[in-house]
Amino acid sequence: MRCPYCYEIEDKVIDSRPTEDNECIRRRRECLACKRRFTTYEKLEKLSFMVIKKDGSRQSFDREKLIRGILKSSEKRPIRREDIEAVVDDIEQGFINQGNREVPSTELGEAVLKRLRDLDEVAYIRFASVYRDFQDIDTFISELEALKH
């Protein structure tokens, strides 16, 4: 760890303790060169995966992007943000637990639709209309019929 004052890399840890939410370790350090103290936080690196887009390109899974998409489909619906975050948590953790390092966007989209169907049918239809790229009213109606049954 580089000292923020003199930029030396030698220091010693004076105190370590978990943060209130137990997500990080807070460490008080003292630079061995200039003797000034500073605080660092150590956090577990989250496992992630790549999303394979329909065009074959790959990008890192973006949790916030998925939350924004679900929020947009659930505007003016009685869905709490905490519920949406829980859906995204479950989907993300499910793919990580399967050991998938790369996930096709189609699988990700279907996982969202499956969860939204149980959470709110209107949000499900809104998300499906964008995700499945409905081109006409017949496609929309057939999705509604499938949802009805």
Side-chain angles (χ1 to χ4, degrees):
M1 186 62 58
R2 193 172 294 276
C3 172
Y5 306 107
C6 70
Y7 303 107
E8 289 295 321
I9 59 171
E10 297 296 322
D11 65 53
K12 66 179 178 180
V13 176
I14 298 169
D15 181 45
S16 283
R17 65 181 69 171
T19 56
E20 287 182 26
D21 60 4
N22 286 318
E23 292 292 319
C24 300
I25 299 291
R26 177 185 180 273
R27 298 195 194 282
R28 286 294 291 161
R29 297 175 181 267
E30 182 179 298
C31 175
L32 296 178
C34 70
K35 304 292 185 210
R36 294 180 79 178
R37 293 182 178 187
F38 57 98
T39 302
T40 60
Y41 292 89
E42 183 178 318
K43 189 172 187 173
L44 179 66
E45 183 178 2
K46 281 199 159 197
L47 298 175
S48 191
F49 52 90
M50 299 296 285
V51 177
I52 305 170
K53 307 297 274 182
K54 289 177 185 175
D55 67 1
S57 65
R58 289 167 167 69
Q59 62 181 219
S60 295
F61 172 73
D62 185 347
R63 164 187 183 72
E64 290 305 313
K65 182 178 177 183
L66 187 55
I67 288 172
R68 283 191 308 272
I70 297 172
L71 280 170
K72 192 163 200 76
S73 69
S74 59
E75 279 181 4
K76 299 182 182 179
R77 299 296 303 156
I79 303 173
R80 299 177 322 167
R81 183 178 174 101
E82 295 82 24
D83 294 335
I84 293 170
E85 288 177 357
V87 164
V88 173
D89 286 343
D90 289 347
I91 291 169
E92 181 180 15
Q93 199 57 53
F95 285 121
I96 289 171
N97 289 347
Q98 291 173 9
N100 296 342
R101 302 297 294 155
E102 294 186 330
V103 175
S105 61
T106 53
E107 281 185 39
L108 184 59
E110 292 300 324
V112 172
L113 286 173
K114 182 178 178 188
R115 294 298 304 272
L116 277 180
R117 175 179 257 163
D118 298 333
L119 190 62
D120 186 270
E121 291 175 342
V122 173
Y124 166 83
I125 287 296
R126 289 176 178 169
F127 192 89
S129 70
V130 173
Y131 169 69
R132 293 199 174 134
D133 193 25
F134 293 166
Q135 295 297 317
D136 55 31
I137 193 72
D138 294 329
T139 313
F140 194 83
I141 290 171
S142 67
E143 189 67 33
L144 285 173
E145 289 295 327
L147 181 61
K148 214 173 174 182
H149 300 296

